[in-house]
Amino acid sequence: MQLGLGLYRHMLTPDNFRFARQAGATAIVAHLCDYFAEGPRIPTTRDDGWGVAGTGLDSWQPENLAALKASVEAEGLQLAAVENLDPMLWHDVLLDGPRKAEQLETVKDIIRRFGDVGIPVLGYNFSLAGVWGHVEGPYARGGATSVGFLGADGPQETQIPRGMVWNMIYDAEAGPGTIGTVTQEQLWARLKDFLDAVLPVAEEAGVRIALHPDDPPMPTLRDTARLVYQPRIYQQVLDLHPSPSNTLEFCIGSLAEMTEGDIYDVVDTYTRQNDVAYIHFRNIRGKVPRYHEVFVDEGDVNMIRVIRILLQNRFEGVIIPDHTPQMTCDAPWHAGMAFALGYIRAAIQACS
């Protein structure tokens, strides 16, 4: 089991790699989609979503992937995964649009590049609304700024405008109107098309693709269906196209927010099956439709018990802190991450 740190595209620098290594991490999960370019922050809801898709698409080219891997390894770390495809690369795969076949070929090419470069995992989120509806507030210990989902008391749900998917704008000139309603049957058919197309390529390339559960885990959001909003539905994804490359990007916080299942049984089941590629290690208070994200040691989930299950099941993937509450200092993101990394490292050592 490895301790890792997730870094946004503009944060993939030697200084931040050294920060990760100094905090005890041995791996990096890189985000190449530029959704928080103005600085690291917690994922709250804004009218323009997370920004404009398609910035820095050259990052996905083979020579730049290889350069990123080399720069990570130069600081004594491993590039364990790349998380989230830029919506500009596959918006019509998600929307079942006219460029779907072309964009499926693009995703296949990216997976082949990962295999050639030696990047073992591509994390993805098969979602139309994306991470939406979160608000910012002093929800963590000592009034630390974190995010919450407040259901009816949160942002008013509106249909997704045309030119937007996964909370990012891919076509600013799309014009008025919305993408309309998307049903469960439609979304699952799109997922099957995606898996059927890319998994044979992933198997050949030796790359695992790993699905993040819905966050927030609601059955529908912004009039569109969600996929994995209960833990048991993860098994349906695995059964839809059984493959060693069809795996899970396992978010403890999102799974604990769900209304069904015991989080410890869920962790045990999927790690015993060896279906988990890597883990977002985050704690929460509450469940949908109302919850708050908190420090790793103060929420509803006994994270030490989770670590024990992972060790018992000989989980060999990477654990990263995911997003954390922001601490009151000159470097709120780094301080929050340092606290979480230290806690996880100590827990692994103690439980080992």
Side-chain angles (χ1 to χ4, degrees):
M1 186 157 53
Q2 283 186 283
L3 178 61
L5 179 65
L7 291 171
Y8 302 126
R9 189 171 79 87
H10 67 285
M11 299 179 72
L12 295 168
T13 65
D15 279 352
N16 282 320
F17 300 154
R18 290 172 196 141
F19 166 80
R21 193 70 194 93
Q22 290 161 9
T26 59
I28 294 294
V29 173
H31 297 250
L32 300 184
C33 181
D34 205 19
Y35 28 67
F36 296 141
E38 75 278 13
R41 63 179 178 85
I42 50 182
T44 51
T45 299
R46 305 191 311 192
D47 291 340
D48 62 348
W50 285 351
V52 178
T55 303
L57 290 183
D58 58 340
S59 300
W60 300 87
Q61 294 302 315
E63 63 274 15
N64 293 323
L65 291 171
L68 172 62
K69 184 170 183 282
S71 65
V72 169
E73 291 175 347
E75 303 300 333
L77 299 156
Q78 172 195 355
L79 181 55
V82 169
E83 183 167 322
N84 295 328
L85 287 160
D86 190 301
M88 193 64 75
L89 298 169
W90 73 320
H91 53 81
D92 274 1
V93 175
L94 296 169
L95 294 168
D96 202 29
R99 297 180 60 192
K100 177 176 179 175
E102 168 199 342
Q103 292 181 350
L104 281 171
E105 293 303 316
T106 297
V107 177
K108 291 182 194 177
D109 284 343
I110 288 171
I111 291 171
R112 292 186 187 102
R113 293 170 200 168
F114 277 32
D116 291 342
V117 170
I119 302 171
V121 179
L122 171 63
Y124 72 105
N125 196 320
F126 206 93
S127 170
L128 305 183
V131 180
W132 187 92
H134 286 151
V135 297
E136 188 175 300
Y139 301 129
R141 182 175 53 231
T145 301
S146 185
V147 301
F149 187 75
L150 307 181
D153 295 326
Q156 181 180 359
E157 284 191 46
T158 56
Q159 286 195 324
I160 300 168
R162 290 180 60 201
M164 176 182 280
V165 73
W166 195 67
N167 212 26
M168 294 193 75
I169 299 166
Y170 68 87
D171 183 1
E173 308 299 324
T178 71
I179 70 168
T181 300
V182 177
T183 67
Q184 286 280 336
E185 291 77 13
Q186 290 172 316
L187 192 59
W188 277 89
R190 297 174 195 182
L191 176 67
K192 186 176 189 307
D193 287 347
F194 172 73
L195 294 177
D196 288 348
V198 305
L199 282 172
V201 175
E203 290 172 15
E204 186 176 349
V207 174
R208 305 174 88 188
I209 64 169
L211 175 65
H212 193 288
D214 287 308
D215 184 16
M218 304 286 287
T220 61
L221 195 64
R222 305 190 76 181
D223 213 17
T224 62
R226 310 283 268 175
L227 279 174
V228 182
Y229 58 90
Q230 299 292 5
R232 56 180 166 76
I233 302 176
Y234 250 158
Q235 191 61 51
Q236 294 174 228
V237 174
L238 297 171
D239 293 342
L240 191 63
H241 190 129
S243 165
S245 290
N246 185 12
T247 63
L248 312 178
E249 180 188 331
F250 212 68
C251 181
I252 303 297
S254 296
L255 291 160
E257 292 157 7
M258 298 175 184
T259 57
E260 296 179 7
D262 175 275
I263 187 61
Y264 312 108
D265 289 342
V266 171
V267 173
D268 181 51
T269 296
Y270 289 109
T271 54
R272 264 192 299 108
Q273 293 177 180
N274 196 31
D275 289 321
V276 177
Y278 65 101
I279 293 174
H280 286 176
F281 205 73
R282 170 165 59 85
N283 213 337
I284 51 91
R285 282 205 186 109
K287 292 181 178 290
V288 290
R290 195 176 189 93
Y291 61 82
H292 299 138
E293 297 183 9
V294 294
F295 286 110
V296 67
D297 63 330
E298 64 162 337
D300 293 343
V301 182
N302 181 338
M303 302 302 263
I304 301 294
R305 184 174 174 186
V306 171
I307 291 288
R308 289 196 180 105
I309 294 169
L310 297 176
L311 290 169
Q312 173 186 308
N313 290 346
R314 299 186 180 182
F315 174 69
E316 295 181 351
V318 177
I319 298 178
I320 67 170
D322 198 14
H323 28 93
T324 67
Q326 310 289 276
M327 299 184 76
T328 305
C329 65
D330 291 338
W333 184 92
H334 285 82
M337 286 295 169
F339 176 85
L341 287 166
Y343 179 91
I344 300 168
R345 182 171 168 83
I348 293 171
Q349 289 178 339
C351 293
S352 296

